[in-house]
Amino acid sequence: MITEYTIRDINRNDTLHKEKFVLAREAVELLEKFIAAAVKAGASEDKLMEIISDVK
């Protein structure tokens, strides 16, 4: 699962100082591109969307 952190969380937790973070919108954009490429390669769009919608 994805854990969301605020700047305050990161500043207070020394173990997070060396981690790398990405913007959520960039991750979503990459996932959308991945799904489009998978569908273009022959994957079932309906099955992919079903799997993605079940992820909580």
Side-chain angles (χ1 to χ4, degrees):
M1 294 308 315
I2 296 174
T3 305
E4 292 183 28
Y5 296 99
T6 64
I7 295 293
R8 180 177 286 168
D9 295 333
I10 295 167
N11 286 336
R12 288 183 177 175
N13 187 341
D14 291 346
T15 60
L16 295 176
H17 290 183
K18 294 182 182 179
E19 297 294 329
K20 294 184 180 185
F21 298 91
V22 297
L23 297 176
R25 69 175 176 265
E26 291 175 346
V28 169
E29 182 181 323
L30 181 60
L31 181 57
E32 289 172 348
K33 288 180 182 179
F34 177 80
I35 291 169
V39 170
K40 187 174 181 180
S44 168
E45 183 175 6
D46 292 335
K47 288 182 181 179
L48 282 172
M49 296 312 290
E50 182 180 320
I51 292 168
I52 291 170
S53 65
D54 286 343
V55 174
K56 296 179 182 173

